[in-house]
Amino acid sequence: MKIGVHLYFQNYTDWDRFKSKRPGPPAITDQQIYEEDLHLAGLVEPLGFDSYWAVDHHFTPYAMTGGALQHLTYMAGRTTTLDFGSIVVVLPWYDPLAVVDQISVLDNMLQGRQLTIGLGRGAAKQEFDRFRVPMPHARGRFAESVEILRRALTNEWFSFSGEHFEIPETSIRPGFRNPERLLERMRIAWQSPDTLPIVANSGHGVIMTNTKSWDEYAEDIQQVNKIRRSIGLEPTQPTVQVMLSCFDTEAEAWDVMSTHMLESYNSSAKQYGLDDPSQFIGVKGYEHYAKVPPYLGPGTDPEKDAQMLEYAARPQAWGTPDQVFEKLQFIQQKTGAVEFIVNPRFGGMSAEAAERSMRLFAAEVLPRLQAIDAPLPETLQGE
């Protein structure tokens, strides 16, 4: 199976200053974070990983890529063998023609290397507000943008007329180098349960961004494949993101995972408004988030922290190399994953710790994973 790497470019320690709008430079500058994560990104190809993936976030310390496609275009010019993927492009924020145009340029720059377009509709109110896109419009804008992308990939000339977008007859230049493969490699992420049937009926693949338990994801993929079979499609296997903490001892691996996974969840809570879920009440398409219990950060509620460690940290890929290999095999059997994207730096983890984890994983786990098949268990085939 194939194994990729995903980096956040996150300035976790600056959240408090940022939220309070306190003047002055961050304790750790954004420039230092960029230098560190670009260094880690530069290790992905020489260490033997198959692919590199970028997130799509703006305006906060959570992830500072400035857009997945821009970031991937830079990395395309810096590498020669890696495949690439977005996890994910948040379609409702953008003019769909601009997205299609950027995808076409990146596809040509890769000169035959594989590009996976992961797509999502977003959930961070502060990003929607700054892009001046009403959140209740997200689902409609997403659906129309996916259709526009499909039309661009299957027709030299196309047009579109919808509720949110009106596109006159146009063509995309440069033409796509691999339009059929791009269609085949389109992946859609979701979190709210009412989005699952939309994803399944789209005919596109699935990308799981590690926001639920593996049991819940197993139920999701079984349901997705049941719907796919009902409309005449073969079962699909997901691309799955996993947090990584690979060290010589189990104790160090757990210390890194438990510490920084709580920080990572705290960062997500601040980014997505899960520290105050009431903001989602009455927001069409996001009612699910209003029911999430608020999380106010590590140390504020020891019982909540303990629950988060059991729910979010313990199921990840952490431990010695042998333990990490076994855990990833378990996750593959649970979800039917056809490829993994490992995230080696999250929360406030140091770049030094992330690099040690990456190097040990690459030396002792990566070749073993790349050598195994990734079957879809019978229980997930939707029969």
Side-chain angles (χ1 to χ4, degrees):
M1 67 186 306
K2 291 188 174 183
I3 312 296
V5 173
H6 167 218
L7 293 166
Y8 267 94
F9 288 74
Q10 175 173 210
N11 196 345
Y12 173 75
T13 62
D14 195 45
W15 265 115
D16 289 342
R17 189 195 68 87
F18 174 81
K19 292 277 282 188
S20 66
K21 299 183 181 179
R22 189 170 67 244
I28 299 174
T29 67
D30 294 349
Q31 290 68 44
Q32 178 178 335
I33 297 295
Y34 249 77
E35 290 173 4
E36 292 172 349
D37 275 15
L38 285 176
H39 168 70
L40 295 175
L43 298 176
V44 174
E45 185 170 79
L47 288 179
F49 290 92
D50 299 294
S51 57
Y52 180 83
W53 297 69
V55 297
D56 192 13
H57 285 293
H58 306 261
F59 314 128
T60 78
Y62 180 68
M64 304 181 295
T65 61
L69 295 174
Q70 179 182 15
H71 187 74
L72 291 176
T73 301
Y74 167 76
M75 290 301 298
R78 191 177 170 184
T79 56
T80 58
T81 63
L82 286 178
D83 293 332
F84 288 91
S86 60
I87 184 169
V88 294
V89 175
V90 182
L91 287 178
W93 296 339
Y94 308 115
D95 182 317
L97 275 189
V99 174
V100 171
D101 196 51
Q102 291 175 39
I103 291 171
S104 173
V105 169
L106 179 55
D107 182 42
N108 279 276
M109 286 182 172
L110 289 174
Q111 297 184 316
R113 288 187 275 166
Q114 182 173 276
L115 175 60
T116 301
I117 302 300
L119 305 171
R121 66 183 176 105
K125 185 177 185 299
Q126 57 191 328
E127 288 176 292
F128 276 91
D129 288 349
R130 287 163 174 79
F131 277 118
R132 302 169 304 284
V133 174
M135 286 190 77
H137 294 180
R139 182 167 291 164
R141 288 173 65 95
F142 177 81
E144 290 187 15
S145 295
V146 171
E147 177 58 26
I148 290 164
L149 177 54
R150 280 197 292 245
R151 292 189 188 189
L153 287 166
T154 53
N155 301 277
E156 180 179 1
W157 290 92
F158 67 96
S159 60
F160 183 83
S161 178
E163 179 183 355
H164 300 281
F165 301 109
E166 291 283 339
I167 296 176
E169 189 176 40
T170 189
S171 65
I172 300 299
R173 304 299 290 269
F176 294 97
R177 183 184 182 103
N178 294 298
E180 295 85 4
R181 189 164 67 170
L182 283 172
L183 270 174
E184 180 185 335
R185 292 290 302 179
M186 280 176 63
R187 301 284 186 267
I188 298 178
W190 77 95
Q191 294 185 39
S192 58
D194 53 350
T195 305
L196 185 149
I198 299 172
V199 174
N201 281 290
S202 74
H204 297 301
V206 171
I207 190 165
M208 295 177 171
T209 55
N210 204 337
T211 57
K212 296 190 282 191
S213 71
W214 303 126
D215 284 337
E216 289 173 302
Y217 273 130
E219 293 175 5
D220 283 353
I221 197 65
Q222 201 278 340
Q223 184 63 21
V224 164
N225 283 331
K226 183 176 181 179
I227 294 172
R228 286 176 64 92
R229 283 187 179 277
S230 73
I231 58 176
L233 297 175
E234 290 296 314
T236 189
Q237 292 181 253
T239 296
V240 176
Q241 175 195 336
V242 183
M243 302 299 192
L244 175 67
S245 176
C246 184
F247 293 93
D248 290 320
T249 68
E250 180 179 352
E252 182 179 10
W254 177 243
D255 181 60
V256 171
M257 175 60 69
S258 59
T259 298
H260 300 303
M261 195 65 187
L262 284 179
E263 294 172 344
S264 180
Y265 191 81
N266 183 37
S267 188
S268 295
K270 288 179 167 62
Q271 174 70 14
Y272 291 103
L274 300 181
D275 49 353
D276 180 20
S278 64
Q279 66 182 291
F280 294 104
I281 295 174
V283 181
K284 184 179 179 182
Y286 292 88
E287 296 87 350
H288 168 74
Y289 295 92
K291 302 174 184 178
V292 177
Y295 185 70
L296 302 179
T300 58
D301 184 342
E303 183 177 347
K304 178 74 170 180
D305 286 350
Q307 292 172 350
M308 286 305 306
L309 288 177
E310 290 302 313
Y311 178 80
R314 200 167 295 282
Q316 304 302 321
W318 62 274
T320 65
D322 285 344
Q323 289 173 319
V324 169
F325 179 69
E326 292 170 1
K327 288 178 180 181
L328 287 172
Q329 281 190 307
F330 170 80
I331 296 168
Q332 196 285 322
Q333 292 162 4
K334 271 284 185 181
T335 65
V338 71
E339 60 187 334
F340 282 120
I341 307 164
V342 296
N343 182 354
R345 190 184 191 191
F346 43 94
M349 187 190 302
S350 71
E352 182 271 336
E355 181 170 346
R356 285 199 293 125
S357 177
M358 280 181 68
R359 288 187 179 278
L360 185 59
F361 178 88
E364 299 192 24
V365 184
L366 181 60
R368 296 162 68 184
L369 288 169
Q370 290 170 326
I372 66 173
D373 293 327
L376 180 66
E378 291 186 8
T379 55
L380 303 181
Q381 294 186 13
E383 295 179 337

